[in-house]
Amino acid sequence: MTRMEKAARRATPQEIDLQFQYMKRVRDILSDGGPRLAWVVTYGCQQNEADSERISGMLQQMGYGRARAAEEADLIVVNTCAVRDHAEKRALSITGGYKHLKKAKPSLLIGLCGCMASKPEMSSRIRKSFPYIDFVFGTEMLWRLPEILYHVMTEEKRLFFPNAGDPVVAEGLPVERESPFRAWVSIMYGCNNFCTYCIVPYVRGGERSRAPADILAEARSLVEGGCKEITLLGQNVNSYGKYGDDGCDFAELLRRLAVLPGDFLLRFMTSHPKDATRELVDVMAAYPKIAKQFHLPVQSGSDRVLAAMNRRYTRDSYLSLVRYMRERMPDIVLTSDIIVGFPGETEEDFEDTLSILREARYDMVYSFLYSKRDGTPAAEMENQIPEEIKGERMARLLALQSEIALEKNLPLVGKTLRVLAEGRSRTSAEMFSGRTEGNKVVLFEGRDEMTGCFLPVRITRAAPFTLWGEVVE
Ligand code: 5AD
Ligand code: SF4
């Protein structure tokens, strides 16, 4: 087996205990100096949001309170994303903005972590060019934050810990969740797929899965604590358990979770189409607690481009899986990711992408302009597509998808759907916002005590990306 294929190493109880000791040491240091406030900024995907909840949990144990803004913080941690160039630029520019805060308060500590901070080259670049950043740690080092922070504080020097190729699964560290009724639960970390455009396998390390018993215990305690929605996270949840020794694959894990007692919904993301099985679809169809929603990124509708992306499925095999899903679950809400302007994408290839949108009839598509990532094979490919062509193709894709999304949403008008109320809408404060089982946003008039409850909502109006409705009392 190569490094990427070995079973995950689990952090030992002694290693975890050591981190708790460091948390206590930091707490002792802070207790001399009055209340301390931390500000955690998160970019990127759900995995990063879940990681930030672990960072916040550890910081809380170390005695940090939550700052309401960067300006009042004594510690700032920026959790970065590297999947596209503009995410990296934004993280660096916001961090640049903290320079003046440090001038005003020299004791302020600034740390950078996440995907961008994982590559040794980037870590050295930050060391040279961003002197106001005190510490950097890669995704593989996250569980050692207490130790890192303790050393930064006591040695009064800048410390840099990019990934070093030793990813572990660390259980039992504290988590501070954003929501009392919706939770992320990581079931695996890393990725072994090496899609040619993607930086993730280089910054999140090889695939490693948590033990089923740990995931089940976490889910059980969440549901007992009133959690209504659990989203299982992994770069490719379908390869969950591949290198484990107890034969529990993803379909089996879902089965075990779906029979836990309590009123809750299970979601998962992301699935790689090459590994999503019919058995998984059957499990989804069989258990009411598994939301009938599937995020199945196709990336392109052209077989030629899919091969160049190293996706290892074809348009036909993908569409046949979608047909099977719709047979078993006619109301399934299907979403996808698309990359526009992959190197060498011709007009004909792009037409194939538009036609797969028409055939798969997605409820929602997350579309991205191809972004060159240093160190990935696609960055070296000839025929990089000019930005104006990418932009023009993106506009056509958005227009088509918006039509399809509206066609999918209009028939929901008049229906009563079960909606998990999330609280006041961020876009219009007089409205309440919630999500259907298919994860579609619904706006309705609500009361604060509805937050975190499942409600029957009759849909009264539909737009491509939003539904409106009224609670059926
Ligand atoms: N350029 C553009 N989009 C990308 N994605 C991943 N890497 C790149 C890249 N280099 C997209 C894929 C993936 C989603 C999370 O981000 O569509 O599914
Ligand atoms: Fe990136 Fe492909 Fe892995 Fe997804 S499956 S994280 S796109 S390499």
Side-chain angles (χ1 to χ4, degrees):
M1 282 199 292
T2 66
R3 178 181 76 77
M4 299 303 260
E5 284 164 358
K6 70 185 175 203
R9 182 173 88 77
R10 244 182 106 125
T12 62
Q14 291 77 10
E15 285 176 313
I16 299 293
D17 188 52
L18 184 64
Q19 296 309 315
F20 275 98
Q21 289 174 30
Y22 278 117
M23 286 185 228
K24 175 156 186 326
R25 286 189 211 171
V26 173
R27 200 161 60 231
D28 290 344
I29 297 175
L30 293 185
S31 65
D32 290 341
R36 295 296 173 101
L37 299 176
W39 178 246
V40 180
V41 194
T42 313
Y43 290 97
C45 64
Q46 288 78 6
Q47 187 64 60
N48 262 18
E49 287 180 30
D51 284 350
S52 285
E53 293 185 345
R54 298 214 289 152
I55 293 170
S56 297
M58 291 190 267
L59 292 177
Q60 198 188 40
Q61 283 270 319
M62 288 187 255
Y64 281 98
R66 236 175 219 240
R68 283 161 304 173
E71 285 67 23
E72 65 173 24
D74 303 289
L75 168 68
I76 297 176
V77 181
V78 184
N79 190 359
T80 63
C81 169
V83 89
R84 280 170 292 275
D85 186 49
H86 92 264
E88 282 199 350
K89 292 220 168 80
R90 262 180 63 207
L92 283 178
S93 87
I94 184 153
T95 318
Y98 298 144
K99 204 156 107 184
H100 74 278
L101 297 180
K102 183 128 181 163
K103 235 184 212 147
K105 189 199 284 183
S107 64
L108 170 67
L109 290 177
I110 302 178
L112 207 75
C113 64
C115 291
M116 197 181 129
S118 296
K119 287 182 285 182
E121 314 84 85
M122 186 52 109
S123 194
S124 333
R125 196 181 134 200
I126 294 166
R127 188 197 285 262
K128 277 194 215 102
S129 316
F130 299 85
Y132 49 90
I133 295 180
D134 300 284
F135 60 104
V136 169
F137 59 100
T139 51
E140 291 176 4
M141 303 292 168
L142 184 138
W143 66 286
R144 290 172 56 191
L145 171 62
E147 177 185 350
I148 293 170
L149 197 54
Y150 174 79
H151 288 298
V152 171
M153 282 175 161
T154 52
E155 290 166 27
E156 292 187 10
K157 65 178 194 208
R158 304 169 69 214
L159 291 175
F160 295 82
F161 294 94
N163 287 354
D166 177 31
V168 301
V169 173
E171 296 290 348
L173 290 164
V175 186
E176 162 82 347
R177 297 186 193 272
E178 289 291 320
S179 159
F181 56 87
R182 300 175 68 198
W184 311 118
V185 172
S186 299
I187 61 165
M188 56 161 332
Y189 309 96
C191 180
N192 286 359
N193 287 306
F194 293 93
C195 301
T196 54
Y197 50 81
C198 187
I199 197 76
V200 168
Y202 307 89
V203 292
R204 283 205 174 261
E207 272 173 24
R208 57 227 186 254
S209 298
R210 293 177 66 199
D214 291 327
I215 298 167
L216 277 156
E218 183 173 352
R220 191 176 288 120
S221 110
L222 280 165
V223 175
E224 283 169 4
C227 183
K228 297 284 186 252
E229 182 190 283
I230 292 178
T231 304
L232 309 175
L233 293 182
Q235 306 300 338
N236 174 14
V237 289
N238 301 290
S239 46
Y240 172 80
K242 225 182 204 168
Y243 310 111
D245 44 21
D246 57 4
C248 178
D249 65 3
F250 183 56
E252 174 58 21
L253 179 73
L254 267 186
R255 243 186 236 120
R256 294 186 196 175
L257 287 162
V259 296
L260 288 178
D263 188 20
F264 68 98
L265 264 184
L266 265 179
R267 303 184 190 281
F268 55 86
M269 65 189 302
T270 293
S271 285
H272 195 307
K274 80 176 164 53
D275 298 315
T277 59
R278 281 166 170 68
E279 186 198 359
L280 168 63
V281 176
D282 295 342
V283 170
M284 281 181 84
Y287 292 90
K289 286 181 192 172
I290 306 177
K292 304 298 174 266
Q293 175 233 326
F294 212 116
H295 184 57
L296 192 64
V298 70
Q299 312 296 2
S300 167
S302 149
D303 280 340
R304 216 184 53 77
V305 174
L306 287 174
M309 288 177 165
N310 188 31
R311 291 290 285 178
R312 290 174 279 168
Y313 54 82
T314 62
R315 175 191 175 97
D316 277 354
S317 67
Y318 180 95
L319 285 172
S320 111
L321 181 66
V322 168
R323 271 193 301 276
Y324 185 70
M325 236 182 253
R326 294 212 191 278
E327 261 166 41
R328 300 298 320 264
M329 298 172 282
D331 291 331
I332 185 97
V333 167
L334 186 66
T335 57
S336 192
D337 291 344
I338 301 274
I339 295 180
V340 174
F342 183 81
E345 181 187 76
T346 62
E347 177 57 27
E348 204 185 339
D349 294 322
F350 179 66
E351 292 286 341
D352 285 344
T353 295
L354 294 180
S355 78
I356 207 163
L357 255 50
R358 288 188 200 99
E359 286 186 49
R361 296 186 56 75
Y362 297 112
D363 290 85
M364 169 103 107
V365 164
Y366 302 88
S367 44
F368 308 101
L369 298 174
Y370 168 71
S371 168
K372 216 169 160 178
R373 309 283 59 216
D374 281 347
T376 62
E380 308 297 320
M381 289 178 187
E382 285 170 14
N383 297 323
Q384 298 283 331
I385 306 295
E387 291 306 313
E388 51 299 356
I389 296 187
K390 285 187 203 168
E392 176 265 333
R393 287 182 184 163
M394 176 65 94
R396 283 156 65 199
L397 183 141
L398 291 176
L400 170 63
Q401 181 51 37
S402 175
E403 265 173 45
I404 297 172
L406 184 61
E407 282 166 22
K408 304 261 342 197
N409 280 351
L410 281 175
L412 298 175
V413 174
K415 288 200 169 148
T416 298
L417 304 178
R418 185 167 174 250
V419 168
L420 179 58
E422 290 177 329
R424 302 241 159 248
S425 155
R426 264 186 250 165
T427 43
S428 59
E430 72 278 11
M431 293 301 272
F432 240 64
S433 136
R435 298 222 174 218
T436 66
E437 182 177 329
N439 216 14
K440 296 192 182 205
V441 175
V442 187
L443 298 178
F444 54 95
E445 278 178 28
R447 297 182 305 277
D448 285 327
E449 67 269 22
M450 290 174 172
T451 303
C453 298
F454 287 113
L455 306 167
V457 175
R458 202 172 59 83
I459 305 303
T460 52
R461 185 151 74 89
F465 308 112
T466 316
L467 301 168
W468 288 263
E470 50 201 25
V471 179
V472 182
E473 300 274 0

